[in-house]
């Protein structure tokens, strides 16, 4: 998946194989099996191209990581304690990223130029 996410485009088994072989010896059939397994699990989609397939990620790496964190957190019998423990494991850089993310999701939606509730604006 790392290669598929890194390139952010449909890839062939041969492309992944050649990239992996820069780091270690690996067989074509191994890469083909892994990509087929990822397809079976729904992590990649594939499209035929001649006698081969091009594989493409179904979601981003960030979305996958978020789903893993959500799954792990939802299995806790004490979600608050799990979060406290998780935050305790974070580096300063990760805590700053968390702070930035919380700030983004908490931004107020200010579509009205006039503050106040609908009742205040209607005069009731």
């Amino acid at each position: 998946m790392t290669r598929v996410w890194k390139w952010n485009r449909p890839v062939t088994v041969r492309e992944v194989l050649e990239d992996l072989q820069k780091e270690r010896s690996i067989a074509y059939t191994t890469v083909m099996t892994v990509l087929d397994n990822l397809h079976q699990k729904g992590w990649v989609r594939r499209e035929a191209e001649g006698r081969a397939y091009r594989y493409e990620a179904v979601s981003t790496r960030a979305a996958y990581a978020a789903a893993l964190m959500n799954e792990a957190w939802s299995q806790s019998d004490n979600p608050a304690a799990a979060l406290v423990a998780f935050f305790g494991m974070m580096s300063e850089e990760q805590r700053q990223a968390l702070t930035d993310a919380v700030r983004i999701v908490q931004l107020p939606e200010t579509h009205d130029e006039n503050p106040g509730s609908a009742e205040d604006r209607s005069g009731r």
Side-chain angles (χ1 to χ4, degrees):
M1 279 307 301
T2 300
R3 281 3 188 240
V4 177
W5 282 321
K6 180 176 87 172
W7 294 325
N8 197 28
R9 62 171 174 76
V11 298
T12 64
V13 171
R14 177 75 50 203
E15 289 173 316
V16 175
L17 173 72
E18 289 172 358
D19 194 49
L20 288 171
Q21 285 180 333
K22 293 175 187 174
E23 299 170 12
R24 65 181 186 268
S25 178
I26 189 166
Y28 181 93
T29 53
T30 301
V31 177
M32 183 175 63
T33 299
V34 170
L35 284 169
D36 186 59
N37 288 341
L38 291 170
H39 177 257
Q40 298 287 332
K41 291 179 179 183
W43 293 6
V44 295
R45 67 177 66 89
R46 68 184 181 192
E47 187 173 317
E49 183 177 278
R51 294 178 51 210
Y53 287 107
R54 283 207 172 265
Y55 294 87
E56 183 176 19
V58 170
S59 67
T60 65
R61 187 177 202 150
Y64 173 71
L68 284 177
M69 289 187 289
N70 186 56
E71 181 181 339
W73 186 49
S74 68
Q75 292 179 14
S76 172
D77 61 348
N78 188 340
L83 283 176
V84 169
F86 179 64
F87 296 157
M89 295 177 200
M90 295 175 119
S91 68
E92 180 57 36
E93 182 179 300
Q94 290 169 322
R95 283 192 292 275
Q96 185 58 53
L98 176 64
T99 301
D100 293 344
V102 169
R103 188 177 304 117
I104 289 168
V105 297
Q106 289 183 343
L107 286 175
E109 292 189 29
T110 54
H111 298 292
D112 292 331
E113 292 181 20
N114 300 324
S117 68
E119 290 181 30
D120 292 341
R121 290 190 302 271
S122 67
R124 293 185 212 160

